[in-house]
Amino acid sequence: MSGEVTVTGFGVRTAFGTGADALRRGVFEGVPSFAPTTRFDTGPYRTPMAAAAPDGPDAVEDWALRHALDRCGAQALDMAGLRPGTEAAVLLGIAGDHTAVTRHWRTEAGTPAAGKVPFADAVPARLAELLATDLALSGPRLTFTNACVASAAAIIHACRLISSGRTDVAVCAGGYLVEEETFGKFDSGRALSRDGMVRPFSADRSGLLLGDGVAVVVLESAEHARRRGARPLASVVGWGAATDAHHIAQPHPQGAGLALAARQAMRLAGDPDGAALGYINAHGTGTKYNDGAETRGLRAAFPERAESIPVSSTKSTTGHLLEAAGVVEFVITLLALTDGVLPPTAGYTTLDPECDLDYVPNRPRQADLRRALTINAAFGGANTALVLERP
């Protein structure tokens, strides 16, 4: 690696609110944020529950997603001490804004509602352009749409750009706000928990719930950060990506792709056995197939250490943030390092013989961490892994 990658700023929003303290009060205390959502009529669906911020029925209308990205981006740049006009790559993991599409098909004869153009601003690449423009950032723009690894893939690509010397600064973002289009799809696939709770790795787990998530992180080369006197929050010392292509919606039963991505990341970090690894932020959806496969994948990646490394799923409190999961959980993992606290797996009740690791059940745990790993998986067998190190 020719250039060390550092994190110098972040902004984050979940159902708990905006900023790191909201995550500390919610995620790190193991407090689930699930409640009946009022953003749309949930009567046709099996559950009304989601981890959506209490911001009214129009929360995802009229470019709320764009504005949330802008706010988090401004917070990240302010924390990093970067000014408008900075030369920075902008990399965004997102699916676009489905609300215009939904409105289009629900109006008579498919006529756009209230004179709005339904599709142009819903295109994912358009959001990356708007984010760069709104933050006054000059540089290349790129959008990732590979589902639940999208924003993690954006971070990995940014690390490659920085470590190879092709850019000094990258602004990486991801966003998803709960809306009916995707909610209905997950309900149709019977993936949503019907009892209003998400219990990753527990024997009585019954599915996932969706949640609001938006985050932006600023990555820089260590040399660039030093030249301008910026304080590094953490270093990204390893990254990996792998696709096992086992099934369109189910993970490989042995977690093969996840294990490969984790091993890539750890080798790049110079620690192939994970000797210095103190925590893993799991993908942990709380679904039948994912959690067992992920456990087996972690055992394959760390055959000598898996049982001694604490693992937790923060989706038990935030819900599944889809394209934003990677970047929000990257921020959560960073806070675990800097605060010395492991976020728990909330809702854990009963041991599953297929899930037999240390899942930090229900309560936070103090820990003196040097390194942590965050992993994500997506439809189609895509897997990502990122290793963060405390300064």
Side-chain angles (χ1 to χ4, degrees):
M1 195 162 59
S2 61
E4 182 184 351
V5 181
T6 61
V7 187
T8 54
F10 66 85
V12 62
R13 176 199 179 193
T14 65
F16 294 111
T18 300
D21 285 344
L23 292 178
R24 292 182 176 110
R25 290 191 300 270
V27 172
F28 283 82
E29 289 299 320
V31 180
S33 55
F34 308 115
T37 182
T38 58
R39 289 185 182 171
F40 46 85
D41 178 13
T42 59
Y45 306 118
R46 293 178 179 83
T47 180
M49 305 296 280
D55 44 11
D58 297 327
V60 294
E61 300 288 341
D62 301 322
W63 281 111
L65 183 54
R66 174 184 175 181
H67 296 322
L69 286 164
D70 286 350
R71 288 194 293 271
C72 289
Q75 292 164 5
L77 292 173
D78 182 65
M79 185 183 295
L82 291 172
R83 294 176 292 184
T86 294
E87 178 76 19
V90 175
L91 301 99
L92 176 62
I94 206 156
D97 189 335
H98 290 287
T99 55
V101 180
T102 303
R103 284 197 302 268
H104 173 80
W105 292 114
R106 285 187 171 178
T107 54
E108 289 186 16
T111 304
K116 293 184 179 181
V117 179
F119 300 127
D121 285 345
V123 175
R126 176 68 172 153
L127 279 168
E129 290 289 333
L130 291 168
L131 178 62
T133 299
D134 293 345
L135 297 179
L137 298 173
S138 59
R141 294 94 187 260
L142 192 61
T143 301
F144 295 78
T145 59
N146 45 342
C148 306
V149 299
S151 55
I155 294 172
I156 288 172
H157 191 70
C159 290
R160 290 169 176 160
L161 292 175
I162 292 169
S163 66
S164 64
R166 285 178 282 174
T167 191
D168 282 325
V169 183
V171 174
C172 301
Y176 172 74
L177 300 180
V178 175
E179 39 67 49
E180 189 171 9
E181 179 86 7
T182 304
F183 192 97
K185 290 176 181 177
F186 275 85
D187 180 78
S188 295
R190 299 179 182 271
L192 300 181
S193 170
R194 298 188 65 176
D195 64 4
M197 293 296 292
V198 179
R199 293 182 289 274
F201 305 110
S202 186
D204 57 349
R205 63 190 182 276
S206 61
L208 61 86
L209 292 171
L210 300 178
D212 283 353
V214 179
V216 178
V217 296
V218 177
L219 305 182
E220 295 185 57
S221 70
E223 178 57 32
H224 185 270
R226 279 193 293 268
R227 284 201 307 266
R228 65 184 194 86
R231 181 179 70 89
L233 304 175
S235 296
V236 187
V237 295
W239 51 86
T243 303
D244 57 51
H246 168 73
H247 188 275
I248 186 61
Q250 294 178 13
H252 188 284
Q254 300 302 315
L258 184 147
L260 181 56
R263 285 196 294 263
Q264 288 176 7
M266 297 308 300
R267 282 198 301 269
L268 189 59
D271 184 16
D273 299 324
L277 191 60
Y279 169 63
I280 299 173
N281 185 282
H283 188 59
T285 59
T287 53
K288 176 183 176 182
Y289 293 106
N290 176 90
D291 295 3
E294 186 166 10
T295 298
R296 290 186 284 275
L298 290 175
R299 282 190 169 277
F302 306 104
E304 303 299 325
R305 287 217 58 219
E307 292 182 3
S308 64
I309 303 173
V311 178
S312 70
S313 169
T314 51
K315 290 181 179 68
S316 60
T317 55
T318 66
H320 197 337
L321 313 177
L322 302 186
E323 290 80 12
V327 67
V328 172
E329 289 164 12
F330 181 92
V331 172
I332 291 169
T333 305
L334 186 154
L335 289 175
L337 280 175
T338 57
D339 291 0
V341 178
L342 305 183
T345 299
Y348 187 91
T349 58
T350 307
L351 175 66
D352 182 342
E354 292 191 354
C355 301
D356 54 358
L357 302 179
D358 174 6
Y359 300 114
V360 194
N362 297 313
R363 294 176 180 167
R365 185 185 303 170
Q366 299 293 317
D368 183 15
L369 300 175
R370 179 191 168 204
R371 283 184 171 180
L373 173 71
T374 179
I375 50 180
N376 289 101
F379 287 164
N383 299 269
T384 57
L386 288 152
V387 184
L388 285 81
E389 182 175 270
R390 190 178 64 196

